[in-house]
Amino acid sequence: MSEKVVAVVGATGAVGREMIRTLERRNFPVKAIRFFASQRSAGKYLQYKGDDVIVEELTEKAFDNQGIEIALFSAGGDTSKQFAPIVAKAGAIVIDNSSAWRMNPEVPLVVPEVNPEDVKYNKGIIANPNCSTIQMVVALKPLHDFGKIRRIVVSTYQSVSGAGQKGIDELWEQTKSMINGQPVKIQKFPKQIAFNVIPQIDVFLENYFTKEEMKMVNETRKIMHDEHIQTTATCVRVPVLRGHSESVYIETEKKITREKAIELLSKAPGIVVSDDPQKGVYPVPTETADLFDTYVGRIREDLNVETGLNFWCVSDNLLKGAASNAVQIAEIL
Ligand code: A2P
């Protein structure tokens, strides 16, 4: 791979910091690195491979004639809507972690283990899918290739870091308040998250699903290139710092036994099968945080539907759900 001039936009955020660490950890061929955030952070320093790098303010002119080739964006949907086209016009390929461009037909939506070839049709912007969708489709791909999935019923257990640094801070603050018998302040989440679970992520839509749930429905179809996959999702925020978990039930055209599923998943890229219930082996977020793979366990055939299969999957939402998926896309480029 030839060395690239890389920018991280939203470098000070929860995902942005992981993008920087992932570039380091995967030894991405970086010729030069630039960090961008809002005016609030301009002038601060962040480290890259032991060197201090200044954080610059993202402005409409910031990428002009700078030779930046790849821009990893995680600065929210509004920032992406405004700046991704400008940055792409200035010559960089934007890999965008927000939901702003994901369903645009001209923008590839890529999970490297599933549809790496889609990067080819990019016109300067490539979208990184929703965190819950990424880990689910990584696990579904080998099962779909073998048995053709028709129906998916998924419930998520999503960590607070999915809501960025403010989400992480709110869980800590509320937990401290509870322990000290003080009133709990609710700012980022719709209800108290400490010692609680909240069946709402993002806003409600007219069909009574949330936007997060509809992302799982629509993005799964686009990534898997199959308009017929019927997904129904319930997305739940849980008081976990890092790592999303999912209970997934699928129905396939061709039956997949537990043994076959283990064989298929064990061979698939990006997946670790962690499934030995007698020995208490199954994945949990505290044991998979800071790791790049998607972990699958609790694999079992349905008791009633002949072609039904259940499993549990866990992945680090800041890594595979965001930063490392984006860096893997950059590696394909
Ligand atoms: P800043 O730290 O200057 O606010 P998180 O998802 O953890 O909340 O992080 C969001 C990231 O997006 C931060 O790096 C934040 O920078 C950045 N950001 C937010 N708004 C803008 C903006 N208008 N322009 C550039 N970066 C932004």
Side-chain angles (χ1 to χ4, degrees):
M1 269 193 284
S2 64
E3 293 192 326
K4 300 280 176 206
V5 182
V6 180
V8 178
V9 176
T12 52
V15 171
R17 285 172 191 267
E18 290 302 331
M19 285 171 158
I20 297 166
R21 280 185 66 224
T22 303
L23 291 166
E24 291 173 336
R25 287 171 71 182
R26 294 179 69 95
N27 226 356
F28 190 85
V30 169
K31 194 192 292 173
I33 191 130
R34 305 275 294 270
F35 296 153
F36 294 91
S38 77
Q39 199 183 18
R40 291 179 291 276
S41 307
K44 283 186 189 165
Y45 285 88
L46 295 172
Q47 289 230 320
Y48 184 76
K49 292 199 168 172
D51 292 333
D52 283 333
V53 178
I54 196 160
V55 178
E56 302 170 60
E57 183 187 352
L58 180 67
T59 61
E60 299 208 344
K61 300 260 175 254
F63 280 66
D64 284 354
N65 306 314
Q66 299 294 305
I68 296 170
E69 295 166 278
I70 293 176
L72 303 174
F73 263 62
S74 189
D78 291 341
T79 306
S80 289
K81 262 187 214 142
Q82 184 186 347
F83 288 97
I86 297 169
V87 170
K89 206 163 168 216
I93 296 186
V94 173
I95 302 171
D96 180 39
N97 193 50
S98 81
S99 60
W101 300 96
R102 288 181 191 149
M103 294 312 293
N104 183 318
E106 302 210 326
V107 174
L109 182 66
V110 176
V111 177
E113 290 84 350
V114 182
N115 59 335
E117 68 286 356
D118 285 355
V119 299
K120 285 192 209 131
Y121 75 81
N122 88 80
K123 298 193 167 94
I125 303 174
I126 299 172
N128 213 31
N130 164 263
C131 44
S132 298
T133 310
I134 293 178
Q135 69 182 71
M136 183 173 79
V137 297
V138 168
L140 292 182
K141 165 78 174 158
L143 304 175
H144 187 55
D145 286 349
F146 177 83
K148 199 155 199 184
I149 296 167
R150 281 283 143 259
R151 178 96 178 118
I152 304 168
V153 181
V154 55
S155 298
T156 69
Y157 304 70
Q158 297 183 220
S159 71
V160 293
S161 53
Q165 191 56 46
K166 288 191 180 123
I168 298 171
D169 295 343
E170 184 143 318
L171 176 57
W172 279 118
E173 290 309 316
Q174 290 185 355
T175 305
K176 281 189 238 163
S177 299
M178 291 285 287
I179 289 169
N180 293 320
Q182 287 164 351
V184 162
K185 249 199 249 152
I186 296 171
Q187 285 169 312
K188 179 78 190 170
F189 297 113
K191 292 179 190 285
Q192 177 181 322
I193 186 62
F195 304 96
N196 205 6
V197 296
I198 308 173
Q200 180 192 351
I201 299 181
D202 213 326
V203 295
F204 284 105
L205 302 173
E206 271 181 13
N207 64 5
Y208 299 99
F209 283 85
T210 60
K211 210 166 162 190
E212 182 85 353
E213 290 158 355
M214 292 312 296
K215 286 176 196 169
M216 294 193 79
V217 173
N218 297 323
E219 293 180 21
T220 298
R221 287 183 170 153
K222 179 165 173 177
I223 298 161
M224 309 256 290
H225 298 165
D226 190 334
E227 281 305 305
H228 302 292
I229 294 183
Q230 299 171 343
T231 305
T232 189
T234 304
C235 292
V236 182
R237 188 74 70 191
V238 295
V240 167
L241 285 171
R242 191 169 172 146
H244 289 358
S245 306
E246 295 175 351
S247 159
V248 185
Y249 167 75
I250 58 169
E251 288 174 11
T252 49
E253 280 187 5
K254 186 161 132 195
K255 181 174 174 65
I256 307 178
T257 62
R258 169 179 152 84
E259 292 67 35
K260 190 71 195 174
I262 290 174
E263 181 198 322
L264 294 167
L265 290 163
S266 301
K267 282 192 293 204
I271 296 180
V272 176
V273 175
S274 174
D275 187 312
D276 191 348
Q278 302 311 328
K279 295 195 176 129
V281 175
Y282 47 81
V284 292
T286 51
E287 293 170 14
T288 56
D290 217 25
L291 302 175
F292 289 130
D293 287 320
T294 295
Y295 291 76
V296 180
R298 301 289 327 274
I299 301 165
R300 59 209 189 275
E301 289 159 47
D302 189 66
L303 296 175
N304 304 296
V305 175
E306 172 64 13
T307 59
L309 187 78
N310 293 283
F311 64 88
W312 173 251
C313 100
V314 184
S315 195
D316 186 323
N317 55 295
L318 296 179
L319 292 180
K320 186 58 190 165
S324 67
N325 197 73
V327 173
Q328 280 178 277
I329 293 172
E331 287 168 357
I332 300 175
L333 293 172

